[in-house]
Amino acid sequence: MKLWAGRFNKDINPLVLDYTQTIDIDKRLIEFDIWGSITHVLMLCNQNIISQEHGRKILQCLVKIFEDHRQGKIQLERELEDVHLNLENRVISQLGMDIGGRMHAARSRNDQVVTDTRLYLRISLLNIQQELLKFVEILIDLAETNVETVIPGYTHSQPAQPISLAYWLTAYASMFNRDIKRLDKAFENTNLNPLGACALAGTSFPIEREITTNLLGFDGLLLHGLDATSSRDFIIESLAALAIIMSNLSKMAEEIVLWNSFEFRLVEVDDTFATGSSIMPQKKNPVVAELARAKTGRVYGALMQILTIVKGVTTGYSCDLQEDKPFLWQAIDDTSLTISVMCQQLQTLKFNTQRALSMSWENFSTATELANYLVVEINMPFREAHQIVGTVVNQLIKFGKTLSDVTDISQSLEELGMNISPEVLRELLNPIQAISRQTSKGGTAPESVQEILETLNRDIIHQKDSLAGRYKKIQQAFDKTFEITNQFISGIDIHIAISGVES
Ligand code: ARG
């Protein structure tokens, strides 16, 4: 039965049905749609918009549908277009039009769909935060035991200065920590109630929007009905946050691919995170990292897609807006899967620390230390020291030497009128020592990294608390909805069952 068929003379063209139906996408909304409908009906009863007798029957039916859904027994029918019409149809076919047909007063699919989407997205944002938190904790754990492990640090992909492995790891922990905070903002703008906006203009029924707001665990309501039904900026903001997460993951993936190459050999991905070649027997390819890079493009695509959709849609719902969900779902899946697979890959990644140390001796990356020494010990202007060390490096390169050839360096400096013994130079140019000197706030020295770790740890504790609070609030709202519904169904007056929920 088509619930909107009254003004039509002909049935829909099958191709148009194919083109417009959203059944596969809407599957993820079933339980949120039922939860939303239950709170709506409770509100309608409380406001005497429908009778308590009718309300009880409808709620009984909705609770049964919910249980059936949890047992995997609900199949949505394509012919009924979307999740909303499917579920309303089910209620009407079970209770008859006289009762079931009363559920949709003071509501539209326009406020309904965006309510469902917000309910689904908010929990997805929390789940992604949880996965990121796990990742940050693992990065911190690995960092804590590697504050003195040397790896080459790069700028322009050229050896720059040695850093500790902990420093590299905490760089990502810092990025993901910010990503978690960014998701907080997206959550705040998502967790607002559009229900009660109706089609676009509100309603003449005496609805009470605070009831559905509280029973659905929203932090507040979207006051403006036309805005509430038209706007998708909460999706844009969420997808922007996901796109940024992916860009950070992709950066790490790129480093893993590069460092895992034979030429770098700084890391080795575990066998369990690689695949082989069908023709070249020697190959072990870092495909997880490669795919993480590529999937980033899909999430960017989702962001571009929603931005492009909304720019042409006038205020008030247009069907363009139903295309907001397919790519959002995809982006949620891609991001959470990429976070967990990259996290597990990192836990099994082998760092070739021996080679990292010898590369740091040979790649001239402690040259800045020598320049700084000349500034401090000889009171030379930095620009002049830079010039001199540059000349020394140039000579060393010419003779196939490195900064580990301290006798040669000592001689070159002597020719330039400076007396620095090979012993002092060995100490000065040692990458481990070099790292230990970068004690400025946010530097790579162990004590600076310690401070970074402490700050990260504090943030993590705070984030975990806030996340647990949000999960709990949602769960409590859900439990409360069903508790009130059961009391009401069992005969308690709606005003007693629901008391306290409005405030
Ligand atoms: N299936 C639609 C969506 O996903 C919801 C229905 C919107 N209302 C309408 N009149 N078509 O956005």
Side-chain angles (χ1 to χ4, degrees):
M1 179 176 66
K2 285 225 167 29
L3 295 176
W4 42 254
R7 70 90 70 228
F8 286 76
N9 296 314
K10 293 193 235 169
D11 201 4
I12 197 168
N13 179 322
L15 194 59
V16 175
L17 177 64
D18 265 348
Y19 198 60
T20 53
Q21 60 86 21
T22 51
I23 291 311
D24 286 334
I25 293 303
D26 285 5
K27 273 184 203 146
R28 299 194 193 199
L29 298 179
I30 295 176
E31 90 170 61
F32 300 107
D33 200 76
I34 302 171
W35 184 9
S37 289
I38 289 176
T39 65
H40 178 66
V41 172
L42 286 170
M43 185 277 290
L44 291 179
C45 290
N46 188 64
Q47 302 303 107
N48 303 319
I49 297 168
I50 63 175
S51 73
Q52 299 202 29
E53 187 196 337
H54 287 152
R56 283 198 178 95
K57 296 237 165 71
I58 297 171
L59 287 167
Q60 239 161 359
C61 184
L62 285 170
V63 168
K64 177 75 171 69
I65 294 174
F66 191 88
E67 284 161 1
D68 285 350
H69 166 64
R70 282 266 163 118
Q71 288 164 18
K73 288 197 260 181
I74 299 289
Q75 294 282 343
L76 300 180
E77 291 172 39
R78 278 175 71 260
E79 287 65 31
L80 294 174
E81 215 178 303
D82 59 25
V83 64
H84 324 296
L85 294 179
N86 260 269
L87 295 175
E88 192 186 345
N89 237 290
R90 201 172 271 261
V91 173
I92 291 172
S93 62
Q94 282 174 24
L95 300 178
M97 183 59 87
D98 185 44
I99 299 175
R102 294 175 191 275
M103 174 169 85
H104 204 60
R107 188 174 69 165
S108 157
R109 280 187 294 162
N110 300 348
D111 59 345
Q112 205 179 343
V113 69
V114 74
T115 303
D116 295 1
T117 306
R118 284 171 182 272
L119 293 174
Y120 178 78
L121 177 57
R122 73 174 180 190
I123 200 80
S124 305
L125 293 174
L126 296 185
N127 292 341
I128 289 173
Q129 276 189 316
Q130 190 165 48
E131 281 154 16
L132 273 181
L133 272 167
K134 224 182 290 165
F135 205 156
V136 173
E137 282 188 307
I138 280 157
L139 286 161
I140 290 175
D141 271 1
L142 286 171
E144 264 156 6
T145 53
N146 283 294
V147 289
E148 286 179 338
T149 310
V150 179
I151 63 167
Y154 297 89
T155 64
H156 308 266
S157 299
Q158 302 292 316
Q161 287 180 296
I163 58 174
S164 71
L165 178 53
Y167 197 57
W168 180 79
L169 294 163
T170 48
Y172 283 101
S174 304
M175 293 177 223
F176 295 148
N177 185 34
R178 226 167 21 250
D179 289 334
I180 292 167
K181 292 179 185 170
R182 200 172 284 117
L183 289 169
D184 270 345
K185 292 282 162 222
F187 179 91
E188 282 166 22
N189 280 322
T190 298
N191 197 27
L192 297 170
N193 187 16
L195 200 60
C198 303
L200 74 162
T203 178
S204 57
F205 288 108
I207 60 171
E208 180 50 83
R209 296 186 63 199
E210 299 293 349
I211 293 177
T212 55
T213 300
N214 291 336
L215 288 178
L216 291 170
F218 282 117
D219 293 328
L221 58 79
L222 285 160
L223 189 59
H224 198 295
L226 183 58
D227 170 45
T229 48
S230 311
S231 296
R232 294 295 183 273
D233 51 293
F234 70 101
I235 296 181
I236 298 174
E237 190 178 359
S238 299
L239 281 174
L242 299 191
I244 296 171
I245 293 168
M246 289 300 290
S247 78
N248 289 331
L249 288 166
S250 187
K251 191 192 296 286
M252 179 185 270
E254 169 66 8
E255 290 194 301
I256 290 173
V257 170
L258 194 65
W259 293 359
N260 186 71
S261 68
F262 178 78
E263 287 70 18
F264 270 88
R265 268 169 289 143
L266 272 176
V267 300
E268 187 183 343
V269 300
D270 195 65
D271 281 6
T272 53
F273 283 80
T275 62
S277 153
S278 63
I279 173 169
M280 298 164 283
Q282 84 285 7
K283 293 275 274 171
K284 179 174 137 186
N285 299 324
V287 287
V288 166
E290 292 164 37
L291 284 168
R293 279 190 315 208
K295 285 189 194 288
T296 302
R298 301 190 354 159
V299 178
Y300 290 4
L303 174 60
M304 283 316 296
Q305 197 242 9
I306 185 72
L307 281 167
T308 310
I309 287 175
V310 298
K311 83 177 182 58
V313 179
T314 54
T315 48
Y317 181 89
S318 291
C319 221
D320 309 47
L321 297 179
Q322 86 176 14
E323 287 295 320
D324 61 354
K325 291 180 285 308
F327 286 87
L328 176 60
W329 288 187
Q330 189 68 62
I332 290 168
D333 292 352
D334 281 337
T335 308
S336 45
L337 201 55
T338 306
I339 296 169
S340 32
V341 77
M342 285 290 289
C343 180
Q344 287 186 37
Q345 169 169 265
L346 184 76
Q347 285 175 280
T348 56
L349 190 69
K350 215 176 112 237
F351 287 88
N352 193 347
T353 51
Q354 219 36 52
R355 181 169 161 79
L357 180 60
S358 61
M359 279 167 81
S360 302
W361 268 109
E362 280 153 27
N363 66 8
F364 296 94
S365 64
T366 50
T368 310
E369 291 307 292
L370 180 52
N372 289 351
Y373 180 87
L374 299 181
V375 171
V376 174
E377 297 297 324
I378 312 186
N379 195 23
M380 194 181 274
F382 179 77
R383 192 47 69 216
E384 192 185 343
H386 184 288
Q387 187 78 29
I388 287 172
V389 177
T391 312
V392 171
V393 167
N394 196 14
Q395 287 231 323
L396 290 170
I397 292 172
K398 209 177 301 169
F399 295 111
K401 309 268 179 173
T402 72
L403 287 181
S404 62
D405 297 302
V406 283
T407 332
D408 300 73
I409 301 167
S410 183
Q411 263 167 25
S412 298
L413 288 169
E414 207 174 312
E415 282 159 27
L416 295 164
M418 282 158 283
N419 227 328
I420 309 176
S421 74
E423 293 70 37
V424 169
L425 285 169
R426 177 161 290 283
E427 180 86 357
L428 188 62
L429 300 170
N430 180 337
I432 300 179
Q433 300 293 331
I435 286 175
S436 74
R437 274 179 229 118
Q438 319 304 313
T439 53
S440 58
K441 227 183 219 314
T444 187
E447 58 260 52
S448 297
V449 173
Q450 237 14 290
E451 190 192 351
I452 291 169
L453 284 167
E454 278 159 28
T455 310
L456 284 169
N457 271 318
R458 265 200 306 276
D459 273 7
I460 292 303
I461 290 169
H462 172 77
Q463 287 296 342
K464 271 182 157 172
D465 276 359
S466 130
L467 185 63
R470 282 178 169 160
Y471 273 126
K472 193 170 161 201
K473 179 174 175 181
I474 292 171
Q475 187 60 48
Q476 281 176 342
F478 179 85
D479 293 344
K480 184 91 188 156
T481 303
F482 280 80
E483 190 192 308
I484 289 173
T485 304
N486 288 330
Q487 283 175 359
F488 177 50
I489 289 173
S490 73
I492 294 177
D493 185 84
I494 187 66
H495 304 101
I496 295 169
I498 218 167
S499 67
V501 168
E502 276 175 62
S503 51

